[in-house]
């Protein structure tokens, strides 16, 4: 329903000069675009309680006691970060699998999930099965995402504080791009998008990012030491060459621009340059985005092993794949990944 303030504004504008109609039309179009944009970015699988399941989880039922009662993470190892920049507090199965697989492969690290929708100062998480399940892992921490605090002391503070920033067409994606480079610069460690399934420990991939193909780097996986110069250059490029109206300009295109300057390259290739590594696509993007449908095709165990032999994590390309039905159980590549690398989430999927 149209807010009452817009109705009042309509009456006021119509009583004045005709040129003022332009202002009214602009506001109406902006409001409609804003609502449409948020609707597109909301994951259809994450609305409300779509699976009709209880938020109560028995850790003993889903997580082996050896994992449930294991000692906490070591402070000497870097954190693994996930970020949710929308207000969503109803994680999908893929979100749960991403965090679970990271927790299992990094038992000595804190797996920190920063969520905009989690209220600061609230001692309890929203009631949802995924939060209950992930809380069974002693190294998983779900925390509020305080964006003002995160961007403080960085070149991105003034960018974020601009009042009209939220009206940009790709704001949530750009905000996520901003969060990951600031997290890597401030704290270091590993950053992962919430549509990854982690197969192996990533700690030995230091100061690294992955090639997604077509002469483009992707920031869905980042691993850097804190205060690294490369991340500092990324923050500078973020504000100096800012364009929030072009999809990917602040994400993959930014990382590609900075890496090419860093190494004095014209084209991206798998290499290590001045201490920063561009990993071959099979490392974290073994399925190209153009071939995302292969995730839902049946593969044999042998084919799966051969495909993922040199792979640390698999990006699921959720923006493209989230509306596709996945049969559980099945021999689909994605179903096998769930089964092997996030068995607690997989068990919940089968029960639901």
């Amino acid at each position: 329903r149209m807010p009452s303030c817009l109705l009042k504004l309509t009456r006021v504008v119509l009583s004045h000069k005709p040129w003022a109609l332009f202002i009214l039309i602009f506001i109406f179009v902006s409001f409609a675009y804003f609502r449409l944009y948020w609707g597109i970015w909301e994951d259809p699988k994450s609305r409300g309680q779509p699976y009709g399941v209880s938020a109560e989880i028995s850790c003993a039922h889903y997580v082996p006691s050896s994992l449930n009662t294991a000692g906490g993470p070591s402070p000497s190892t870097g954190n693994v970060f996930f970020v949710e920049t929308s207000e969503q507090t109803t994680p999908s199965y893929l979100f749960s699998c991403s965090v679970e697989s990271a927790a299992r492969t990094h038992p000595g690290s804190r797996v920190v999930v920063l969520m905009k929708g989690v209220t600061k100062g609230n001692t309890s998480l929203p009631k949802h099965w995924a939060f209950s399940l992930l809380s069974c892992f002693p190294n998983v921490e779900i925390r509020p995402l305080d964006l003002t605090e995160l961007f403080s002391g960085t070149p991105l503070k003034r960018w974020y504080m601009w009042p009209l920033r939220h009206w940009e067409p790709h704001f949530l994606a750009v905000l996520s791009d901003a969060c990951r480079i600031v997290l890597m610069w401030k704290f270091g460690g590993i950053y992962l998008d919430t549509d990854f399934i982690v197969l192996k420990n990533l700690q030995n991939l230091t100061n690294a990012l992955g090639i997604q193909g077509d002469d483009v780097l992707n920031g869905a996986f980042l691993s850097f030491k804190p205060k690294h110069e490369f991340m500092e250059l990324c923050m500078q490029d973020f504000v100096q060459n800012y364009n929030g109206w072009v999809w990917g300009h602040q994400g993959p295109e930014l990382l590609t621009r900075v890496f090419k300057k860093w190494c004095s390259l014209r084209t991206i290739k798998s290499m290590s340059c001045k201490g920063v590594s561009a990993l071959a696509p099979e490392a974290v993007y073994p399925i190209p985005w153009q071939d995302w449908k292969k995730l839902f095709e049946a593969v044999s165990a042998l084919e799966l092993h051969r495909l993922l032999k040199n792979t640390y994590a698999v990006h699921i390309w959720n923006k493209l794949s989230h509306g596709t039905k996945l049969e559980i159980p099945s021999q689909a590549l994605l179903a096998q990944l769930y089964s092997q690398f996030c068995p607690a989430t997989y068990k919940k999927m089968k029960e639901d």
Side-chain angles (χ1 to χ4, degrees):
R1 194 161 60 99
M2 187 185 300
S4 59
C5 60
L6 288 181
L7 292 173
K8 293 178 182 177
L9 182 61
T10 303
R11 299 189 190 102
V12 172
V13 171
L14 290 176
S15 66
H16 289 73
K17 297 179 180 180
W19 62 261
L21 284 174
F22 174 78
I23 299 175
L24 178 63
I25 293 170
F26 176 79
I27 292 174
F28 275 129
V29 171
S30 299
F31 175 75
Y33 188 86
F34 182 74
R35 292 297 300 270
L36 175 64
Y37 165 70
W38 280 86
I40 290 173
W41 266 92
E42 183 180 22
D43 185 350
K45 291 186 177 182
S46 300
R47 293 173 184 163
Q49 290 275 5
Y51 312 114
V53 296
S54 170
E56 298 301 322
I57 290 289
S58 168
C59 290
H61 179 63
Y62 288 96
V63 182
S65 58
S66 59
L67 280 172
N68 187 32
T69 59
S74 167
S76 62
T77 58
N79 293 335
V80 179
F81 291 101
F82 292 92
V83 173
E84 176 54 71
T85 54
S86 77
E87 297 289 342
Q88 286 293 328
T89 55
T90 54
S92 65
Y93 290 126
L94 180 55
F95 184 111
S96 177
C97 183
S98 297
V99 179
E100 179 188 343
S101 62
R104 289 178 180 274
T105 51
H106 300 79
S109 302
R110 288 186 179 87
V111 178
V112 181
V113 184
L114 300 170
M115 301 189 71
K116 181 75 162 52
V118 172
T119 307
K120 191 173 183 179
N122 196 338
T123 56
S124 61
L125 292 168
K127 289 187 176 181
H128 189 274
W129 66 265
F131 293 127
S132 298
L133 188 149
L134 295 174
S135 296
C136 295
F137 294 89
N139 57 334
V140 172
E141 300 178 12
I142 299 172
R143 303 177 186 172
L145 175 59
D146 187 332
L147 292 165
T148 303
E149 180 181 338
L150 177 62
F151 294 136
S152 66
T154 77
L156 278 73
K157 179 182 178 180
R158 289 183 63 187
W159 165 83
Y160 177 67
M161 297 304 292
W162 190 54
L164 299 181
R165 188 69 63 201
H166 294 66
W167 290 86
E168 293 177 353
H170 309 301
F171 174 67
L172 283 183
V174 172
L175 184 59
S176 178
D177 293 330
C179 288
R180 68 192 69 186
I181 61 176
V182 170
L183 282 169
M184 290 296 96
W185 184 77
K186 274 193 168 184
F187 307 108
I190 295 166
Y191 168 84
L192 291 167
D193 275 358
T194 55
D195 58 350
F196 258 112
I197 297 180
V198 187
L199 317 185
K200 302 171 186 173
N201 190 288
L202 298 161
Q203 293 289 358
N204 64 326
L205 302 178
T206 307
N207 300 330
L209 64 171
I211 300 172
Q212 76 167 34
D214 300 326
D215 193 39
V216 176
L217 293 166
N218 194 307
F221 158 79
L222 295 171
S223 178
F224 280 86
K225 292 182 178 179
K227 304 299 190 291
H228 196 282
E229 185 184 355
F230 184 84
M231 283 292 109
E232 185 174 1
L233 292 174
C234 288
M235 291 193 298
Q236 292 172 7
D237 186 283
F238 190 96
V239 294
Q240 291 172 2
N241 299 308
Y242 185 76
N243 186 344
W245 295 82
V246 177
W247 174 263
H249 184 82
Q250 301 302 118
E253 291 183 19
L254 181 151
L255 294 167
T256 303
R257 287 194 303 271
V258 174
F259 189 80
K260 285 181 176 180
K261 291 179 183 177
W262 180 265
C263 299
S264 301
L265 294 173
R266 288 189 176 183
T267 58
I268 297 293
K269 57 184 177 180
S270 177
M271 63 181 295
S272 181
C273 172
K274 292 162 57 174
V276 177
S277 298
L279 305 176
E282 59 263 26
V284 286
Y285 306 110
I287 308 294
W289 68 267
Q290 300 94 328
D291 298 332
W292 65 267
K293 291 183 179 180
K294 289 184 177 180
L295 291 161
F296 299 87
E297 297 174 1
V299 296
S300 68
L302 183 62
E303 287 176 300
L304 184 65
H305 175 75
R306 184 168 58 248
L307 177 67
L308 304 178
K309 183 173 60 174
N310 299 315
T311 298
Y312 286 83
V314 180
H315 195 224
I316 307 303
W317 308 107
N318 186 55
K319 184 173 176 61
L320 299 170
S321 65
H322 72 266
T324 305
K325 183 179 180 181
L326 176 65
E327 294 291 340
I328 295 291
S330 73
Q331 290 300 304
L333 194 160
L334 182 54
Q336 293 192 59
L337 292 177
Y338 273 109
S339 174
Q340 294 182 37
F341 300 103
C342 54
T345 300
Y346 182 71
K347 187 172 187 178
K348 191 76 173 67
M349 293 172 74
K350 289 196 297 181
E351 291 177 357
D352 294 346

